[in-house]
C-alpha cells in the first residue's frame, strides 16, 4: 500500500514538472481536461484547445513575464495543491486571463506580486484532468491602482505575499483593529497582565493577591459571619424594659411635715 502511494505521488510529480516545463504538450492532459482561472472565469476545455490557449501571445514571456516561486506543494492520491507567489511584469497593456477589460494605461510597465493557490486533479493514468488557479483579484487591482488608495477599502496589496514568505512574522491585525504582536508569548503575558490592573474594584483578581486562609481567626463565641450584600432585618427589641428593677436600683419619696415645720418656727 505504501509503495503504491509513493509510486502515485512520483507519477503525479513527474506529470506536474512536465507541465511546468512545457504546458503546450497535449499529451499531458486528458481528453476532457479543463483549465480555469477562477477569479476571472477565463479558461479552456479539451486537450487540443488547451494547447492553442497556452500558445497565445498573452502567455509569452516577452509580453507578460511571469516569475513563479513555489513555497508549498502537497500531493495526494490523485490531487496536487501548490502555494506559489507570482511576480508579473507587463510589457504590454493586455492580459485577459488575469485582468480582463482593464485599461492599457494601468498595465504598461507595471509589476505586481501576489500569492496564488493551484489545485490540480489527475486521472488514473496520471494525466491532468483540471487545473484551478485561485488568487485575490482585489490584491491585483490595488497594485495596478485600479482600486484607489484614497478610500479605506478592506483590501491589501503586495503585503499578502508575506503570508507565504514569513508566516511567523507577518503583520496581522486583530478584531479590535490593533496590530497583533509577532511574539505570541509576549502577547499572552501582556494580555494576562492587563487583566489585573491595580485599584480595579471589579474584574479578575491576580492569583498572588488572593487570600487563601483567613488572616484573623474568629473568636469561639463570635456570631456567625453575615453577608453584607444580603438584607437581614434586625432583631426586634421592646422600647421599655419589662422589669423595672433591671438596673438594680430603687427609689422612694417621703414627706416629713413635722421636721419642716420646726425649722420654720426656730
Amino acid at each position: 500500500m505504501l509503495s503504491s502511494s509513493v509510486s502515485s505521488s512520483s507519477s503525479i510529480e513527474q506529470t506536474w514538472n512536465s507541465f511546468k516545463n512545457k504546458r503546450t504538450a497535449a499529451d499531458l492532459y486528458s481528453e476532457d481536461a479543463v483549465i480555469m482561472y477562477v477569479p476571472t472565469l477565463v479558461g479552456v476545455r479539451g486537450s487540443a484547445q488547451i494547447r492553442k490557449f497556452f500558445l497565445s501571445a498573452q502567455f509569452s514571456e516577452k509580453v507578460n513575464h511571469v516569475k513563479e516561486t513555489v513555497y508549498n506543494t502537497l500531493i495526494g492520491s490523485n490531487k496536487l495543491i501548490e502555494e506559489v507567489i507570482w511576480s508579473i511584469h507587463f510589457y504590454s497593456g493586455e492580459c485577459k486571463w488575469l485582468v480582463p477589460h482593464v485599461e492599457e494605461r494601468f498595465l504598461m510597465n507595471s509589476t505586481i506580486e501576489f500569492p496564488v493557490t493551484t489545485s490540480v486533479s489527475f486521472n488514473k493514468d496520471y494525466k491532468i484532468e483540471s487545473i484551478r488557479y485561485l488568487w485575490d483579484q482585489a490584491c491585483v487591482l490595488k497594485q495596478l491602482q485600479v482600486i484607489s488608495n484614497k478610500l479605506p477599502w478592506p483590501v491589501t496589496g503586495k503585503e499578502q505575499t508575506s503570508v507565504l514568505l514569513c508566516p511567523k512574522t507577518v503583520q496581522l491585525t486583530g478584531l479590535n483593529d490593533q496590530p497583533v504582536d509577532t511574539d505570541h508569548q509576549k502577547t499572552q503575558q501582556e494580555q494576562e497582565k492587563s487583566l489585573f490592573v491595580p485599584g480595579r474594584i471589579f474584574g479578575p483578581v491576580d492569583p498572588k493577591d488572593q487570600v487563601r486562609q483567613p488572616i484573623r481567626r474568629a473568636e469561639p463565641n463570635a456570631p456567625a459571619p453575615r453577608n453584607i450584600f444580603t438584607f437581614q432585618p434586625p432583631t426586634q427589641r421592646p422600647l421599655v424594659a419589662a422589669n423595672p428593677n433591671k438596673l438594680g436600683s430603687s427609689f422612694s419619696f417621703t414627706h416629713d411635715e413635722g421636721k419642716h415645720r420646726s425649722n420654720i418656727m426656730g
Side-chain angles (χ1 to χ4, degrees):
M1 184 67 180
L2 180 60
S3 61
S4 176
S5 177
V6 172
S7 176
S8 174
S9 298
S10 177
S11 299
I12 288 175
E13 185 177 5
Q14 183 178 356
T15 301
W16 187 239
N17 289 335
S18 298
F19 169 82
K20 292 289 189 73
N21 293 328
K22 190 177 181 182
R23 54 189 171 183
T24 57
D27 59 342
L28 293 174
Y29 310 97
S30 64
E31 290 297 325
D32 56 349
V34 57
I35 308 294
M36 295 171 284
Y37 293 86
V38 176
T40 57
L41 289 180
V42 173
V44 62
R45 288 187 176 92
S47 57
Q49 297 301 319
I50 290 174
R51 171 178 169 79
K52 295 179 181 179
F53 180 79
F54 283 126
L55 285 174
S56 169
Q58 294 185 43
F59 292 99
S60 170
E61 293 294 314
K62 296 180 180 179
V63 177
N64 300 307
H65 177 71
V66 180
K67 178 183 177 182
E68 180 180 83
T69 305
V70 179
Y71 286 88
N72 297 299
T73 303
L74 178 64
I75 299 177
S77 58
N78 63 338
K79 300 286 185 181
L80 180 146
I81 303 294
E82 194 167 73
E83 291 182 313
V84 304
I85 290 178
W86 281 354
S87 175
I88 303 180
H89 182 81
F90 302 97
Y91 291 104
S92 70
E94 186 178 32
C95 188
K96 292 183 177 179
W97 60 269
L98 180 68
V99 281
H101 313 301
V102 173
E103 296 181 16
E104 182 179 343
R105 59 188 177 92
F106 290 106
L107 273 67
M108 287 295 296
N109 296 319
S110 298
T111 302
I112 61 175
E113 292 184 18
F114 56 97
V116 179
T117 300
T118 307
S119 175
V120 190
S121 62
F122 301 82
N123 64 11
K124 62 180 181 179
D125 296 322
Y126 306 112
K127 291 183 179 293
I128 296 173
E129 284 190 330
S130 67
I131 301 177
R132 296 189 300 274
Y133 295 100
L134 302 100
W135 65 86
D136 180 8
Q137 187 70 348
C139 171
V140 172
L141 298 178
K142 183 177 177 65
Q143 293 183 68
L144 293 174
Q145 298 184 3
V146 176
I147 295 179
S148 173
N149 294 325
K150 295 181 180 179
L151 294 176
W153 296 106
V155 175
T156 54
K158 182 180 177 181
E159 54 269 29
Q160 285 191 16
T161 58
S162 58
V163 174
L164 294 179
L165 290 171
C166 46
K168 292 185 178 181
T169 59
V170 58
Q171 184 60 64
L172 302 175
T173 303
L175 294 177
N176 57 356
D177 292 331
Q178 298 298 320
V180 176
D181 199 314
T182 55
D183 188 346
H184 173 70
Q185 192 69 23
K186 179 180 177 182
T187 304
Q188 186 176 7
Q189 293 174 355
E190 289 181 351
Q191 289 176 349
E192 293 176 353
K193 184 178 179 181
S194 65
L195 294 175
F196 313 119
V197 179
R200 174 183 286 178
I201 299 176
F202 303 102
V205 178
D206 193 332
K208 298 190 299 295
D209 296 336
Q210 290 183 345
V211 179
R212 301 295 180 181
Q213 298 179 353
I215 299 175
R216 180 179 179 181
R217 294 184 179 181
E219 297 180 3
N221 298 327
R226 183 168 62 91
N227 187 351
I228 62 173
F229 296 103
T230 303
F231 175 73
Q232 297 179 357
T235 305
Q236 294 184 357
R237 297 180 181 180
L239 298 178
V240 179
N243 185 3
N245 295 323
K246 188 175 182 180
L247 297 178
S249 61
S250 61
F251 298 91
S252 62
F253 298 92
T254 59
H255 182 63
D256 189 357
E257 294 182 354
K259 185 178 180 180
H260 179 68
R261 187 179 293 114
S262 66
N263 289 338
I264 294 177
M265 295 299 292

